[in-house]
Amino acid sequence: MSTGRLLRTEALSWMSDVDNVTGGQSQGLVLQPVWDYLLQNHHDFLRSPLFPVVLSVTTYFFLVGLYTVLDLLAPSWPCINRYRLHPDKPVAWPNIWTTLSVTIYNHLFYIFPAAVAQWLWRPPTPLPREAPTLWSFFLGILGCMVVFDFQYYLWHLLHHRVPWLYRTFHAVHHQYNQPFSLVTQYLSGWELFSVGFWATIDPILLQCHCLTTWGFMVFNVYVSTEDHCGYDFPWALHNLVPFGLWGGAPKHDAHHQRPGTNFAPFFSHWDWLGGTHIVPTPSSQTSTGEPDEMKGRKD
């Protein structure tokens, strides 16, 4: 009887080990064909230190281009305008040109030199033969999000609480109290450098696979643009993530209305814990904000 029990236990253990191995293999097989294709067809480009910069910049301009087209169509297309947070205040061409000019300036005088420096001094990216499992891919992106969210919450809070930091570095971003997509990188060089540094260093600290790193970079750009887009689409992340855990465009729009609230870029838990969380309401969208932080703001 004891021998039969022992054999049954060993059999169950062996089946469990097989399930774990095949489960891990099946997760790896999901991304492995994609990774093999990239290695075979774009190996040299992927190894270049310039690739992450090209990926982020391309993603950003694609998204802001898409949202800008929506902004221009919205006044005459009710099916689009109904989702705008401020449907009675269309995005004007002068504001588009102003924010676009600052964005291009930042890319020419900050991002381009940083990319050249990376190309000259940083070694090529090592590309492993194996792709990450699906589990490690999403877990790595989530981990980078959590770390980045904490870093930027502290940075953002500090630059609102210290008047000199606000006036010197962060005030330019708050010249628009009703953000649209091009306001995403309407920033000082210091703020752009800080955000880019964390987005680059966090996957290294967490030892992420390079495919996971690039996935996080694309997702980070997407969320930043969505936060500033000025739309409340049903498929937006804040409408998909339950329990109000996600920030999203309405909460960040409220931050531009009331700059002492909603500092976190992704989640809501730090604002809850810090007492800086507010739920967007019609009254918050018409608030005059904090006078010392909102001088010179634009609609």
Side-chain angles (χ1 to χ4, degrees):
M1 190 70 177
S2 60
T3 303
R5 213 178 273 158
L6 178 62
L7 290 174
R8 187 163 58 251
T9 302
E10 290 179 351
L12 291 173
S13 176
W14 177 80
M15 292 174 61
S16 176
D17 291 340
V18 170
D19 288 342
N20 289 337
V21 171
T22 56
Q25 289 177 344
S26 65
Q27 285 186 8
L29 288 175
V30 173
L31 296 177
Q32 192 65 48
V34 177
W35 184 238
D36 289 340
Y37 170 82
L38 293 175
L39 289 180
Q40 292 170 9
N41 296 276
H42 306 285
H43 182 271
D44 293 338
F45 182 47
L46 295 177
R47 291 183 74 239
S48 172
L50 290 177
F51 174 70
V53 180
V54 173
L55 179 65
S56 297
V57 171
T58 303
T59 303
Y60 176 72
F61 278 105
F62 171 78
L63 290 172
V64 297
L66 179 62
Y67 280 120
T68 300
V69 170
L70 295 180
D71 290 336
L72 296 175
L73 293 176
S76 56
W77 289 41
C79 59
I80 299 175
N81 201 51
R82 61 182 291 200
Y83 294 113
R84 294 196 70 242
L85 296 173
H86 304 279
D88 57 331
K89 296 184 178 180
V91 178
W93 271 109
N95 290 338
I96 292 176
W97 290 124
T98 300
T99 50
L100 182 60
S101 64
V102 171
T103 300
I104 293 175
Y105 176 89
N106 284 338
H107 279 75
L108 289 177
F109 290 96
Y110 294 107
I111 294 179
F112 179 71
V116 172
Q118 280 200 146
W119 179 64
L120 292 175
W121 297 325
R122 190 173 179 180
T125 304
L127 303 178
R129 294 299 307 174
E130 294 185 359
T133 65
L134 200 61
W135 169 253
S136 64
F137 178 77
F138 287 112
L139 189 63
I141 292 177
L142 178 61
C144 291
M145 289 166 51
V146 171
V147 174
F148 184 93
D149 192 68
F150 175 66
Q151 292 166 331
Y152 190 76
Y153 175 81
L154 291 181
W155 187 98
H156 201 181
L157 182 68
L158 185 65
H159 281 68
H160 275 267
R161 293 290 188 259
V162 180
W164 179 81
L165 290 176
Y166 181 86
R167 290 193 304 268
T168 307
F169 300 114
H170 192 52
V172 60
H173 185 64
H174 277 275
Q175 289 181 12
Y176 290 89
N177 67 344
Q178 294 169 8
F180 52 98
S181 63
L182 278 165
V183 177
T184 306
Q185 290 191 8
Y186 188 73
L187 308 168
S188 66
W190 165 247
E191 183 166 1
L192 187 65
F193 171 80
S194 300
V195 173
F197 175 77
W198 291 325
T200 302
I201 202 69
D202 288 346
I204 298 176
L205 294 176
L206 297 181
Q207 300 181 349
C208 294
H209 190 284
C210 46
L211 188 61
T212 305
T213 299
W214 301 330
F216 167 67
M217 288 181 173
V218 170
F219 186 72
N220 193 16
V221 173
Y222 169 76
V223 172
S224 299
T225 310
E226 186 185 69
D227 279 355
H228 292 86
C229 72
Y231 290 89
D232 186 6
F233 290 120
W235 56 84
L237 286 172
H238 65 274
N239 288 322
L240 301 178
V241 178
F243 311 118
L245 291 173
W246 195 260
K251 289 184 181 178
H252 195 71
D253 183 83
H255 168 73
H256 278 255
Q257 302 289 328
R258 299 175 58 182
T261 62
N262 295 347
F263 292 109
F266 295 145
F267 305 104
S268 298
H269 61 281
W270 288 115
D271 284 304
W272 290 342
L273 295 172
T276 55
H277 177 264
I278 64 166
V279 177
T281 61
S283 60
S284 69
Q285 294 179 356
T286 59
S287 172
T288 58
E290 299 177 6
D292 60 334
E293 292 182 345
M294 297 297 288
K295 293 179 180 178
R297 64 187 180 178
K298 303 175 185 178
D299 290 337

